[in-house]
Amino acid sequence: MNWDAIGAMAELVGAIAVVATLLYLAVQVRQSAAVSRASAFQAIFDGLTAHNNYMLGPDNVDLVIRCLRAYPEVPVEDQMRFDNLMTNLVNYFEASYEAANAQTLGDETLENWAWWFEKKIFGYKGAVEWWTKANLVYPPYIRSWVDRRIRNADPLADYWGLLESSTH
């Protein structure tokens, strides 16, 4: 075998090694992206679960009910507490929105958020009144997204049964 043939074989082996390395790296990047997506989802989900347990737990549920019914009519101290609860809730959505844009969270999660906000929150007059007062804190794309949720919400749906129970 001459040196030219040995050189050609070495180049072929080198090219195969480069291709194999690139394939390996592609698999690793794909796996890393999957882990990143799962971690982002888990972090947001855990935080949201803790927040919802606090927001709708025994310490705050009466406040939330009163504010969802008629936010401007509750005392200022209660408005401040409700504002804090709602701001944190919208902040979780904002984190989800950013994660989806970075492709570390699926679009389905944003659709679930849309359903949650439309059915459970923005169908109530008090939540809309809160948003009208608080929305300037958020960047335009978040304001636009929440405004769409408000437009899509059915104010007569009464997910929690708050309107019915307020007349008793």
Side-chain angles (χ1 to χ4, degrees):
M1 191 176 256
N2 67 28
W3 286 110
D4 289 335
I6 293 172
M9 286 295 274
E11 285 184 31
L12 179 62
V13 169
I16 291 171
V18 167
V19 169
T21 300
L22 290 175
L23 289 173
Y24 174 78
L25 289 174
V27 168
Q28 293 301 309
V29 167
R30 176 173 268 153
Q31 287 176 340
S32 176
V35 168
S36 180
R37 281 191 296 277
S39 294
F41 178 82
Q42 192 64 50
I44 292 169
F45 188 79
D46 289 347
L48 179 61
T49 298
H51 179 71
N52 281 343
N53 288 340
Y54 179 69
M55 183 172 174
L56 302 175
D59 293 338
N60 291 312
V61 72
D62 291 333
L63 166 78
V64 171
I65 290 170
R66 286 184 289 114
C67 289
L68 287 176
R69 285 179 179 155
Y71 174 74
E73 296 170 19
V74 300
V76 69
E77 298 87 1
D78 289 343
Q79 286 183 19
M80 291 172 72
R81 289 175 48 219
F82 184 73
D83 177 69
N84 184 54
L85 294 170
M86 290 296 292
T87 297
N88 288 335
L89 182 64
V90 174
N91 288 346
Y92 279 111
F93 162 72
E94 187 175 5
S96 297
Y97 191 95
E98 292 295 340
N101 279 344
Q103 298 180 336
T104 57
L105 199 66
D107 291 337
E108 185 176 315
T109 301
L110 292 183
E111 289 304 312
N112 290 340
W113 269 112
W115 179 90
W116 202 93
F117 275 110
E118 289 170 17
K119 302 294 184 213
K120 294 184 176 186
I121 300 294
F122 287 115
Y124 292 101
K125 179 179 85 166
V128 175
E129 292 165 337
W130 167 81
W131 178 249
T132 301
K133 188 175 180 180
N135 71 48
L136 292 177
V137 172
Y138 294 95
Y141 61 94
I142 299 297
R143 289 195 308 257
S144 174
W145 188 91
V146 173
D147 289 343
R148 275 196 311 278
R149 306 295 61 92
I150 290 171
R151 284 192 303 274
N152 291 344
D154 179 2
L156 302 176
D158 194 16
Y159 181 88
W160 301 108
L162 302 180
L163 303 178
E164 177 183 326
S165 63
S166 67
T167 60
H168 292 107

